[in-house]
Amino acid sequence: MDALLVVINVFLIIAALVLIVSVLMQQGRTQGLGAISGGAETFLGKNKAKSYEGKLELCTKISAAVFIVLAILMAALQ
């Protein structure tokens, strides 16, 4: 049982680090004063940013779900 707890702990730490990095890499939702002067990005730049942001958002959701499941499992096994 101790080996299982160690493995779950390792995966919990990895999930936490992935979650932290994916949240920190995301841009803020507000554009600030840049939105008033018009779009600085071109059409291709917006699509590129959306796909990159979409991947980060998906990574955040998956790592958060894995983190929650592992934390509940860890609490149940102790």
Side-chain angles (χ1 to χ4, degrees):
M1 188 65 89
D2 288 335
L4 180 64
L5 290 176
V6 170
V7 170
I8 292 174
N9 249 345
V10 168
F11 283 124
L12 189 65
I13 291 170
I14 291 171
L17 291 175
V18 169
L19 183 61
I20 290 169
V21 169
S22 65
V23 167
L24 288 177
M25 287 181 63
Q26 290 181 11
Q27 293 180 356
R29 295 281 182 200
T30 59
Q31 295 294 325
L33 293 176
I36 296 173
S37 64
E41 295 182 9
T42 62
F43 179 72
L44 295 175
K46 286 184 181 180
N47 285 340
K48 183 178 176 184
K50 284 183 182 178
S51 67
Y52 179 71
E53 286 293 320
K55 289 177 185 176
L56 275 178
E57 191 173 322
L58 180 65
C59 181
T60 302
K61 288 178 184 178
I62 291 173
S63 61
V66 168
F67 180 81
I68 290 170
V69 169
L70 287 176
I72 291 171
L73 184 64
M74 187 73 170
L77 290 177
Q78 284 188 354

